[in-house]
Amino acid sequence: MRVSAAIHRDFTIAAIDDRLYAAFIEHMGRAIYSGIYEPGHPQADEHGFRRDVADMVRDLNIPAIRYPGGNFVSAYNWEDGIGPKEDRPVRLDLAWRSKESNQVGINDFAVWARDLGIDMMLAVNLGSRGIEEARNFMEYVNHPSGTHWSDLRRSHGVEQPYNVKMWCLGNEMDGPWQIGHKKASDYGHLANETAKALRQLTPDAEMIVCGSSNDEMPTYPEWERQVLEECYENVDYISLHKYFGNSSRDTLNFFGKVEETGRYIQAIGGVIDFVKAKKRATNDVYICFDEWNVWYHKREEDSKNWKSWDWPEAPALLEEDYTFEDALFIGCLLNEFIRRSDRVKIACIAQLVNVIAPIRAEADGPAWRQSIYWPYQMASLYGRGTALSVAVDGPTYDCAVASDVPYIDIAAVHDRTAGAVTVFIVNRHLSEAADLRTTLTGFPDATIDFHQVIEGHDLMASNGPGAEIIAPTKGSGIAVDDGVLTGSVAPLSYHVVRLKV
């Protein structure tokens, strides 16, 4: 098939916020315990955190991480995780029907995040708790000294405040499964009052209010309208969540769900604009897509397990084995976030280690990178700068969730500081290569810096300990001459072409 595309230096979408490549980790399953933290492991550092896992996280160049939940946060008492470890209580986690040892809390997690150069995005409990506990948490975290909570932090060995700027006002409060689930107007009012209180302590804090848990919720998108009408002037972002699956084994329909995501973002962008106009507001609210990933391989099995087990500690949960098909999908989804970077400023892959994660780690054993690790890493490393509009003309297909889905998915990013343009290309076609011709207007002297590709695997192939078979390799067959990029793009392949400009 023949595909033509056009990229113009001056046809831009938006400056990409680095936090588009953020992550999320929750006290759930083995994400924390025997995930990032495992004292006694041969790779454990002096704080109990696994160096092998940390090295893989470091290579992702993650700018920010959301913590500690997730559904977990809606019944979490943050005070349980501070002070001497031997004095910390073991609690029952109502979200995932397991025991929480509290051996990792805010100060422990902050050490891990600091060592990896990752900013924390902290969630407060607006399910079982409220404004008072949220402001106490922020005072402990952000206030220098001279008060009960700040001096308590200093007594715990943390002299300087963390100055955390990103704060999530609860989690998935639209969901009936959530501890403390609320009606939209009630939650919006509570979020507004909480945001006002927290801004008294940290005036430049960024507030993230809960949007829909997914776009199939019966309250979507009315939930967003009601919530924002209560709190628009006092928040900076509204969160969206969405997980993806292919239980029907229809690969093209699976890939088409990226277009569905674009509609989701567009719809909530419209709600934001409506509320802003209705309230005559002067501030802008953006989207924080702070939970996204493929999740279906073990979802049904896990749902049965966790609802019946007898409160185990750090049980295996949601430990998806990601496939080559999943990697291609993630490549397309990240391209969509780049194309929607005018609306989506923060996005968090959910989650980071073991639980629906790009990194897996065995207790007392090895760690490895799953297939989805690589498109996430490529986008994080090379997808920073200004998103460029890409006009694509080529064959499309229809599927159950979308019409006119392009077989060739392309996103482009211009990094002026590095003097580079990165083109991310996915061929979704099951059997046909694409003869691609892309004009690069405004970049007449472009040359290829490098070309990486993931291709040639069975769609159901996956990585495992000691067998990372799905990984980028050096690409070939793509060239640039006189401002035109040409080449053959194999079916079912993911490409990163970095151009010097």
Side-chain angles (χ1 to χ4, degrees), residues 160-177:
Q160 298 301 317
Y162 296 117
N163 295 319
V164 173
K165 294 296 190 288
M166 294 170 281
W167 292 83
C168 301
L169 303 171
N171 173 75
E172 291 185 353
M173 301 308 295
D174 63 321
W177 58 85

Side-chain angles (χ1 to χ4, degrees), residues 148-310:
H148 170 78
W149 292 110
S150 61
D151 286 344
L152 183 61
R153 181 199 69 242
R154 294 173 70 218
S155 76
H156 293 154
V158 183
E159 185 69 23
Q160 298 301 317
Y162 296 117
N163 295 319
V164 173
K165 294 296 190 288
M166 294 170 281
W167 292 83
C168 301
L169 303 171
N171 173 75
E172 291 185 353
M173 301 308 295
D174 63 321
W177 58 85
Q178 201 70 214
I179 301 297
H181 162 64
K182 295 172 176 60
K183 295 179 180 178
S185 58
D186 293 339
Y187 166 67
H189 177 74
L190 175 60
N192 188 59
E193 296 305 313
T194 304
K196 285 161 55 180
L198 295 182
R199 282 238 172 90
Q200 293 291 318
L201 294 170
T202 307
D204 59 346
E206 294 179 292
M207 299 294 159
I208 303 163
V209 69
C210 294
S212 290
S213 301
N214 60 74
D215 55 347
E216 296 180 359
M217 295 294 292
T219 53
Y220 160 84
E222 178 65 11
W223 170 274
E224 281 81 0
R225 181 191 68 79
Q226 291 189 36
V227 167
L228 286 175
E229 286 188 355
E230 294 288 340
C231 66
Y232 186 95
E233 294 93 335
N234 290 308
V235 300
D236 302 280
Y237 303 91
I238 187 163
S239 74
L240 299 183
H241 295 175
K242 188 172 175 66
Y243 293 96
F244 305 87
N246 186 23
S247 299
S248 64
R249 298 301 182 193
D250 184 340
T251 296
L252 290 179
N253 190 62
F254 181 41
F255 292 161
K257 293 179 181 181
V258 170
E259 311 299 311
E260 189 178 52
T261 306
R263 296 197 301 266
Y264 187 17
I265 293 167
Q266 187 174 18
I268 298 308
V271 174
I272 291 170
D273 290 347
F274 170 79
V275 175
K276 179 180 181 180
K278 182 178 180 181
K279 296 178 75 70
R280 279 45 171 187
T282 58
N283 63 305
D284 290 315
V285 171
Y286 294 99
I287 291 171
C288 174
F289 214 119
D290 55 24
E291 286 188 34
W292 63 265
N293 207 343
V294 173
W295 175 20
Y296 78 99
H297 296 282
K298 298 181 179 179
R299 190 165 187 166
E300 185 175 346
E301 175 187 345
D302 281 331
S303 180
K304 293 177 182 177
N305 288 341
W306 74 262
K307 290 178 181 177
S308 61
W309 60 33
D310 189 22

